[in-house]
Amino acid sequence: MLSIKGAAGKDLCDPSLKRSRRDVLRIGGSGMLGLSLGSMLNLQAQASETPLGGGPGWGKAKSVILVYLQGGPSQLDLWDPKENVPDNVRSVFKPISTKIPGIQFTENLPRLAQLNDRFTMIRSMSYTPNGLFNHTAAIYQMMTGYTTDKVSPSGQLEPPSPKDFPNFGSNLIRLRPVDEPMLPFVMLPRPLQESNVVGKGGSAGFLGKSYDPYTLYPSGDDMDMEKMSRIKIDDLMLRPEVFSVRLQRRARLRDLINQQMPTINKAVESYELDEYYDRALSLIVSGRAREAFDLASEPVALRERYGQNTFGQSCLLARRLVEAGTRVVEVIWPKVANSDNHSWDQHSGLSKRMKDQSAPMFDAGFSSLIEDLDDRGLLDETLVVGVGEFGRSPQRGVSTSGNNNSADGRDHWPYCYTCVLAGAGIRRGYVHGKSDKTASAPLEDPVHPGELLASIYHSFAIHPETMVYNHLNQPRELVKAQAVTKLYS
């Protein structure tokens, strides 16, 4: 069989990537399907010449910050309030005017109300779930673009598996690797979680662990608002007795030994040990990552503007990370789904919990993130996304997911909710879609979570239907959806 060496592991149908060894094996076997090697190469050449994607927003993003509102915030009680509706639908919070004429938020978001001329709102996020409306299945869909295969009798998913579809961030850093000595993908300050199912949808899955996020989960429970002040990054620090010059000398020695051991080299080449070693060495020697994590270097006034709490400081750290060269940052809401206090999963006690806990933290942290990025000129190339796995039921006190809900609580509702996007060519002061009179369903332009992910890929000049090969070497699209180009200016 003819052998053509390519770039190992890059088995994606993307014109910017070289042909891989796996591609060659596929080509070698194509004769059985009636295609000669020449015909196959000719078809691939034609495909590489065909432009994919393009249009508004194409390739505008260099980094993305996903602010993931794990738990599912209520659209009616934040940014899609309704009037002239029954008492058990109407929000207990007063509507307030925003920078966009005719668009109202509730009193819970005073700072974002004065900033919505800088971002786009999608008021028509919508999907019909498979099976129960549980958080884990919805989180997995939002993070990977795919629905799940196995659900337990309780409605929860099985634990994370190497066979899972990759988190979109893992796909991004594989297709658009960073060119700085910086962590490519960071997830903080806690994992995705519902009850005892931890991390589902948050890993690289079948892409392999080398594309997993760097997870920054400071010690302390979800009620510990000081945990970000205790960030430990020991694995990115040199021991006092090891100087950078000495470490680099060791790297040169390793290279010399490798040159003399071609047999061993060949035996381990599939593990890409050099790549991993060099990546770690660059991170340690440069100090760039360590400096990015140094929140104490920020002015006190700015830290207070973000909010001296876990969420606010996570948003500030997200800005510092993208400024230092990180490609993907996922800020997970710092309270597990299916819990109390400042969790967005407000089946009861919504009025007090939202007013006193979740909404003030979110309003301060998210508004400061957008303002800070914009003021520094970073918003032009940084895509910011704020979204949960679903919204909340229009009627209070009813059950839509098998949960018990008090008269001051709303259940899960995937049929209509809100998402916010800013930066990287996203239109400013735009409202996409429209919900009906009770925020129960979209009236115009429904957007599926898969289309949101497709729009994120589009922002990085990646066609959403680019093929990736799973653990069984089966081709799968990044996401089976198209970008919503109306979101871009």
Side-chain angles (χ1 to χ4, degrees), residues 22 46 105 110 113 120 141 144 166 168 177-178 185 219 247 268 273 288 291 321 346 356 364 401 410 442:
R22 187 172 294 170
Q46 291 179 27
F105 289 175
T120 276
Q141 175 180 249
T144 70
F168 77 91
V178 296
F185 179 12
S219 61
L247 195 61
V268 301
L273 298 180
R288 192 168 186 149
E291 292 168 2
L321 286 167
Q346 295 161 343
D356 297 340
S401 65
R410 299 184 192 269

Side-chain angles (χ1 to χ4, degrees), residues 63-65 317-326 329 373 378 382:
S63 58
V64 58
I65 299 173
L317 182 52
R319 187 224 82 202
R320 291 180 60 83
L321 286 167
V322 299
E323 196 170 27
T326 294
V329 183
L373 288 168
L378 296 170
T382 304

Side-chain angles (χ1 to χ4, degrees), residues 220-339:
D221 63 28
D222 288 354
M223 296 303 292
D224 182 356
M225 295 296 162
E226 301 296 323
K227 64 169 63 179
M228 296 302 289
S229 65
R230 300 194 300 275
I231 293 174
K232 294 185 181 300
I233 49 169
D234 294 342
D235 52 340
L236 294 178
M237 298 178 66
L238 292 170
R239 295 194 307 275
E241 70 273 16
V242 181
F243 299 98
S244 61
V245 172
R246 184 175 166 190
L247 195 61
Q248 289 170 320
R249 190 183 303 128
R250 288 180 180 178
R252 289 196 295 272
L253 178 60
R254 176 213 61 192
D255 293 340
L256 180 62
I257 292 172
N258 282 346
Q259 291 174 14
Q260 304 303 317
M261 301 176 69
T263 303
I264 294 177
N265 239 0
K266 185 173 181 60
V268 301
E269 65 181 353
S270 63
Y271 294 97
E272 299 177 338
L273 298 180
D274 286 352
E275 177 187 345
Y276 301 148
Y277 187 97
D278 291 340
R279 191 185 306 168
L281 178 63
S282 296
L283 279 168
I284 293 170
V285 173
S286 76
R288 192 168 186 149
R290 296 196 308 276
E291 292 168 2
F293 285 110
D294 185 14
L295 287 172
S297 65
E298 292 287 345
V300 174
L302 181 63
R303 295 191 68 178
E304 290 179 346
R305 197 172 95 199
Y306 272 90
Q308 292 280 14
N309 54 64
T310 307
F311 177 72
Q313 298 305 290
S314 295
C315 288
L316 175 55
L317 182 52
R319 187 224 82 202
R320 291 180 60 83
L321 286 167
V322 299
E323 196 170 27
T326 294
R327 182 79 72 212
V328 182
V329 183
E330 293 181 10
V331 176
I332 311 302
W333 185 255
K335 192 74 170 77
V336 60
N338 192 19
S339 65

Side-chain angles (χ1 to χ4, degrees), residues 285-436:
V285 173
S286 76
R288 192 168 186 149
R290 296 196 308 276
E291 292 168 2
F293 285 110
D294 185 14
L295 287 172
S297 65
E298 292 287 345
V300 174
L302 181 63
R303 295 191 68 178
E304 290 179 346
R305 197 172 95 199
Y306 272 90
Q308 292 280 14
N309 54 64
T310 307
F311 177 72
Q313 298 305 290
S314 295
C315 288
L316 175 55
L317 182 52
R319 187 224 82 202
R320 291 180 60 83
L321 286 167
V322 299
E323 196 170 27
T326 294
R327 182 79 72 212
V328 182
V329 183
E330 293 181 10
V331 176
I332 311 302
W333 185 255
K335 192 74 170 77
V336 60
N338 192 19
S339 65
D340 54 10
N341 293 291
H342 56 277
S343 169
W344 291 111
D345 194 22
Q346 295 161 343
H347 294 277
S348 62
L350 182 151
S351 301
K352 180 174 176 56
R353 289 166 59 187
M354 184 171 283
K355 181 178 181 180
D356 297 340
Q357 296 176 311
S358 52
M361 281 199 299
F362 174 66
D363 190 44
F366 195 62
S367 63
S368 295
L369 175 63
I370 293 173
E371 285 180 312
D372 201 6
L373 288 168
D374 205 12
D375 292 346
R376 292 168 181 266
L378 296 170
L379 197 59
D380 291 342
E381 296 180 334
T382 304
L383 179 64
V384 180
V385 183
V387 68
E389 60 267 31
F390 40 57
R392 310 303 293 188
S393 61
Q395 295 185 57
R396 294 192 301 274
V398 302
S399 177
T400 62
S401 65
N403 287 287
N404 294 321
N405 299 270
S406 75
D408 189 25
R410 299 184 192 269
D411 210 335
H412 308 168
W413 194 259
Y415 304 108
C416 190
Y417 59 108
T418 300
C419 170
V420 168
L421 302 101
I426 293 291
R427 294 169 67 175
R428 291 179 173 235
Y430 172 59
V431 179
H432 183 84
K434 181 180 180 181
S435 62
D436 64 13

